[in-house]
Amino acid sequence: MLLLIKVAAVQLQAFPGERDKNIKNCMEMVVEAAKQGAELIVLPELWVSGYYLSKEQFQSLQEVSTGETVSLFQKLAKELKVILIVPFVEGENGNLYISLAVIESTGEVIATYRKSFLWGREKEIFTPGEKVYNAIETSKGKIGVLICADIEFPEPSRILALQGAELIIVPSVWSYGAETRWDIQLPARALDNTVYILGVNTVNEGSCGKSKLVAPTGEVLCEASRTEQSILIHDVDFSIISEVRKEVPYLDDLDKKLWPNASLFEWENQKFIKRMM
């Protein structure tokens, strides 16, 4: 695994219902992030549609996982030789999901994920995905993906960390009203699990911006504006994780008996588990 990679959060404004405008804006920002050296680039939740739409409007924008939006970004990932995390509105069997695709630098979709914890009005429009969380092996390291409210619960992040994810990515539409939780919960999940957390938010339409990269110590390494579109780029140094875990041995000290479904996790891949047996 590479020990040092450059990641980018594309914090943008999503214009409600204006798919073509949003795609043009987003693709330009992705290209610029790649020019600045980013190797893994993340887009925010519902960037292609906007957030405050009716169910009928979301239905008009729904796609399958192999649809036009993901296909466009598959081509872009291959052209730029970067990994892209691309949320989209997914439709299947009459249900709508808030989903994302993980696209390798080859252009291949290596994983998809559906948001499992819906918030507020989302419950009237979307169907929650299964509460199944799998770490994803990429050419730049092992990552986890969650969407917005999923990070507000400790368990999904813990499951991903126990499977070896060292960077957990969180595309979001996070409101001003919940800004305090954004500032607390992202660092808390990073420190709880001694992993990197990259939260990627939108601006305007009631969102608080402040996309941020948090270190395994809980320290915020960089943070974007509350109000402006921006590309947040920073190095992720995976080599420090083992050092942090020596100083903060939360995972070593974890009581396996607290996890009744522990057999579902890849415990055998975690050195710290051996000391718990």
Side-chain angles (χ1 to χ4, degrees), residues 98-233:
I98 301 174
S99 301
L100 63 75
V102 179
I103 304 173
E104 251 296 352
S105 54
T106 59
E108 178 188 1
V109 174
I110 59 172
T112 58
Y113 171 74
R114 292 170 172 171
K115 183 176 184 176
S116 61
F117 287 92
L118 300 178
W119 183 264
R121 67 187 297 273
E122 296 167 9
K123 297 175 183 179
E124 302 169 9
I125 298 171
F126 296 100
T127 298
E130 289 186 89
K131 291 180 172 60
V132 175
Y133 313 99
N134 295 308
I136 303 159
E137 194 70 64
T138 77
S139 60
K140 301 298 181 183
K142 204 165 191 178
I143 67 170
V145 290
L146 299 173
I147 300 176
C148 204
D150 295 334
I151 200 70
E152 300 207 59
F153 298 86
E155 293 83 3
S157 300
R158 174 57 51 84
I159 291 168
L160 291 170
L162 290 175
Q163 293 182 44
E166 296 184 312
L167 167 65
I168 297 176
I169 292 163
V170 194
S172 302
V173 177
W174 207 284
S175 70
Y176 279 115
E179 183 177 351
T180 299
R181 300 205 306 273
W182 179 253
D183 291 337
I184 292 172
Q185 288 170 332
L186 269 64
R189 297 295 93 81
L191 181 58
D192 287 346
N193 300 294
T194 50
V195 296
Y196 284 95
I197 300 284
L198 180 62
V200 186
N201 201 12
T202 53
V203 290
N204 297 322
E205 208 189 6
S207 297
C208 68
K210 297 174 73 174
S211 298
K212 64 187 75 183
L213 176 67
V214 187
T217 58
E219 175 190 0
V220 176
L221 297 175
C222 59
E223 183 175 274
S225 161
R226 296 173 85 237
T227 58
E228 301 295 328
Q229 289 197 145
S230 59
I231 299 168
L232 194 69
I233 296 185

Side-chain angles (χ1 to χ4, degrees), residues 8-11 28-33 36 38 224 229-233:
V10 174
Q11 176 171 287
E28 289 174 353
M29 294 180 75
V30 168
V31 169
E32 179 57 32
Q36 294 182 35
Q229 289 197 145
S230 59
I231 299 168
L232 194 69
I233 296 185

Side-chain angles (χ1 to χ4, degrees), residues 19 23 47-48 61 63-64 66-74 86-88 103:
R19 178 183 179 277
I23 286 178
W47 65 273
V48 74
L61 294 165
E63 302 182 37
V64 295
T66 54
E68 186 178 351
T69 298
V70 173
S71 296
L72 277 173
F73 284 88
Q74 284 182 267
V86 182
F88 63 101
I103 304 173

